[in-house]
Amino acid sequence: MLELNKSGTDRSEPGRLPAQGTGPDARPADGSPGAATGDERVPLRPYLIAAAILCALYFLYSYFQYARFGSPSWDLGIFEQEVRAYAAFEAPVVDIKGPGYLILGDHFSPIVALLAPLYWIWPSATALLFAQAALFALGAVVVGRTTQQLLGGRSGLCVTVAYGLSWGIQEAVKSDFHEITFAVPLLALVCRALLLKRWTAALLWSLPLVLVKEDLGATVAVVGFLLFVYGRRLQGALLAAYGVAAFVVTLVVLIPAASSAGTYDYWQKIDKNGEQDVSMLDSVLGVLNSSVKIEMLVFLIGITAFMALRSPLTLLIIPTLGWRLLSQDSNHWGMVWHYSAILMPVLFLAMADGVRRSRDSHRPWLASYARVAVPVATAIAIAMTQHLPLRDLLRPETYRTDDARAQAARAALDAIPAGSRVETDITLMAHLTSDRTVYWVGGAPGTAPDIVAINLDFGWSRPIQDPVAYAEQLHPEARYRLKHRGGSFVVMERTTPEPAEIPGVRGGR
């Protein structure tokens, strides 16, 4: 199980590795965490090649999913509206969440503004998909190269493959773009610095995590705890205090200040199950009340051949797992969506640390198992891919973007003028956000959008028999007519004058 640093203090100079042997498996004599080899002994080229291949796989999958109008949620459209606003040096208003909605009042992710320069040259949702693919692949370089420094041999490339094909990363790719894409390489760099005893680097790489998402302040606090335990008591205490302060200030001050409701909406994920109130005690007692949660936990540790349990780095996954298991939203429990991606670099570097710690174990079975754990983890990742998203890249239909449905969707897009205000569902949403103002269908009352465009096969609770009547039901302040219909896609345009005052638009039009 978890073993903390037995030495208690670090006697090397800050930012420098302790003296070690030159062999590929050399380790500090006291068995404490440290680097097995120097950077100069680990070639970069193989990892860059592996990262390029992984980046291509991730981007191919997400691009063709986008080109087939297969986005699984509204998130890609939301983040493009956010990045588009940053690129125009405007407040990050995301009309999909509601007219004039300031997205920092939902999740606190100002780091997304770093994508603005990319958006200047590539103003499209595909730019975000590429950025995510590249950042995930960057994490693979850090994880793989660090593993080779720790373990030597071909272990680094094996772990690069295992990490790159891990279910947490693949499911995040399938889920389109999310802000956690920045946390993946940052957490890999934090863990790398901890394992190589680069304490100042660990502290510095931790600082920007609080700008990725509001809950990561708690993870930063755990990094501070580890630094404290490893003997860097002042640095650890300061970092832990910073993480806790950032966590509290973000949830209690910053997000409520940006939210129109004046509160952090996601508290309800913990204290409400539908309309029913749930006490904190019931939430805590129910953390393992579902087979879905247990399955997720088993597969989280199982993909590391269970060797991650041998490393204190595994403590870093507790904050994220904590809020997910406390949540009443079943989407947070399982192995789908993007929530587990930030756990992957932590777990795979914890595995590398666990293998190193176990090689000289006085328990022969553990020492023997440590020698085969990396190949086992790689085999598990490859085997699981048969049932994960990247498997679709071997299917010819993945690359078919000219079927009847896709052609009908593109015809609907052509019928929507650039610059118009459009209310639509998920199907067309991310294809419209680059040059239109886009609202979520039913989420923009009183705006009388120029266009209402819907996919009749979207999966409505009740089939829409009369699309024009449906548009006027959404917006009784306006009248609409059918402009285009092709396949399951219908485009209606407003025939009455635009309102003088439009909710969410400063000063009207």
Side-chain angles (χ1 to χ4, degrees):
M1 296 298 289
L2 299 178
E3 295 179 359
L4 297 177
N5 187 350
K6 299 174 184 176
S7 63
T9 59
D10 169 41
R11 302 186 185 280
S12 61
E13 297 179 31
R16 296 180 61 85
L17 299 178
Q20 300 175 36
T22 58
D25 296 329
R27 291 180 291 279
D30 64 357
S32 61
T37 58
D39 286 349
E40 67 276 10
R41 295 185 59 82
V42 180
L44 181 60
R45 181 178 297 179
Y47 295 96
L48 291 179
I49 294 172
I53 294 171
L54 289 171
C55 180
L57 293 176
Y58 301 153
F59 182 64
L60 272 177
Y61 181 92
S62 54
Y63 172 78
F64 280 102
Q65 178 175 255
Y66 172 81
R68 297 193 314 272
F69 296 85
S71 292
S73 73
W74 63 357
D75 292 321
L76 182 58
I78 286 174
F79 283 105
E80 187 181 3
Q81 283 191 336
E82 181 179 3
V83 174
R84 178 185 175 188
Y86 285 129
F89 299 101
E90 298 174 351
V93 169
V94 173
D95 292 303
I96 291 172
K97 292 283 291 184
Y101 189 95
L102 187 61
I103 196 62
L104 294 179
D106 183 56
H107 288 304
F108 191 74
S109 306
I111 199 168
V112 173
L114 293 178
L115 293 178
L118 175 63
Y119 200 79
W120 293 337
I121 60 177
W122 192 356
S124 167
T126 52
L128 276 63
L129 298 176
F130 176 78
Q132 177 165 274
L135 287 167
F136 282 171
L138 174 60
V141 173
V142 177
V143 170
R145 198 157 179 261
T146 304
T147 298
Q148 184 167 341
Q149 286 180 255
L150 295 174
L151 305 180
R154 296 184 177 86
S155 58
L157 288 175
C158 286
V159 170
T160 301
V161 172
Y163 165 88
L165 297 180
S166 62
W167 60 265
I169 296 294
Q170 290 201 47
E171 290 294 344
V173 170
K174 181 180 179 180
S175 301
D176 285 336
F177 179 89
H178 288 88
E179 72 287 301
I180 54 89
T181 187
F182 289 96
V184 170
L186 283 173
L187 281 168
L189 289 164
V190 169
C191 292
R192 170 184 171 82
L194 289 173
L195 292 177
L196 301 186
K197 287 192 172 184
R198 297 172 181 173
W199 312 123
T200 301
L203 184 151
L204 293 176
W205 285 121
S206 298
L207 298 181
L209 282 170
V210 302
L211 303 178
V212 177
K213 201 174 179 184
E214 62 275 6
D215 63 293
L216 288 175
T219 302
V220 172
V222 178
V223 178
F225 169 76
L226 290 176
L227 284 175
F228 187 90
V229 171
Y230 286 153
R232 314 303 289 190
R233 288 180 168 78
L234 178 60
Q235 287 177 312
L238 290 175
L239 184 62
Y242 166 80
V244 171
F247 180 74
V248 173
V249 170
T250 302
L251 293 184
V252 177
V253 179
L254 298 180
I255 290 180
S259 170
S260 58
T263 186
Y264 180 54
D265 292 340
Y266 292 92
W267 290 127
Q268 298 182 21
K269 296 289 186 180
I270 294 175
D271 60 23
K272 283 189 178 295
N273 187 353
E275 297 299 321
Q276 182 179 0
D277 291 336
V278 179
S279 69
M280 180 56 71
L281 178 61
D282 288 337
S283 294
V284 171
L285 294 177
V287 293
L288 294 178
N289 63 352
S290 168
S291 61
V292 176
K293 296 179 181 180
I294 296 172
E295 178 188 62
M296 184 262 292
L297 291 174
V298 170
F299 276 92
L300 273 178
I301 305 301
I303 56 173
T304 69
F306 297 96
M307 290 303 297
L309 291 174
R310 293 279 296 163
S311 172
L313 285 185
T314 306
L315 294 173
L316 291 173
I317 73 174
I318 291 177
T320 297
L321 279 183
W323 71 257
R324 289 177 62 186
L325 296 177
L326 288 172
S327 173
Q328 305 301 313
D329 187 344
S330 60
N331 288 312
H332 295 152
W333 303 345
M335 297 171 61
V336 296
W337 301 110
H338 58 287
Y339 303 109
S340 295
I342 65 173
L343 307 180
M344 296 298 109
V346 175
L347 288 170
F348 278 95
L349 285 176
M351 176 186 73
D353 186 33
V355 168
R356 181 189 56 180
R357 290 169 177 269
S358 302
R359 282 178 166 177
D360 296 328
S361 172
H362 64 277
R363 289 166 284 192
W365 68 267
L366 182 57
S368 298
Y369 182 61
R371 286 192 284 271
V372 299
V374 168
V376 168
T378 306
I380 290 172
I382 293 173
M384 287 187 67
T385 297
Q386 299 299 311
H387 307 285
L388 291 171
L390 291 184
R391 170 69 173 82
D392 289 349
L393 293 176
L394 300 177
R395 306 177 191 274
E397 57 268 27
T398 297
Y399 306 94
R400 293 173 186 159
T401 60
D402 59 349
D403 58 9
R405 179 180 177 276
Q407 290 179 2
R410 292 191 186 92
L413 292 176
D414 293 339
I416 302 173
S420 59
R421 293 182 302 109
V422 187
E423 187 167 347
T424 188
D425 59 72
I426 289 170
T427 314
L428 299 177
M429 185 173 286
H431 295 263
L432 293 166
T433 46
S434 62
D435 57 0
R436 286 99 162 174
T437 299
V438 180
Y439 305 116
W440 166 245
V441 64
T447 58
D450 306 317
I451 298 290
V452 176
I454 57 176
N455 174 13
L456 297 176
D457 291 342
F458 173 64
W460 308 98
S461 57
R462 295 181 181 178
I464 298 174
Q465 303 295 339
D466 186 340
V468 173
Y470 179 70
E472 293 178 350
Q473 177 185 341
L474 293 173
H475 299 282
E477 72 277 9
R479 293 292 176 265
Y480 289 86
R481 71 174 182 86
L482 185 65
K483 179 180 182 181
H484 169 84
R485 183 163 189 166
S488 63
F489 295 90
V490 183
V491 177
M492 285 80 67
E493 67 177 356
R494 194 188 66 250
T495 59
T496 50
E498 184 174 79
E501 297 291 333
I502 302 172
V505 178
R506 295 193 180 104
R509 284 290 186 117

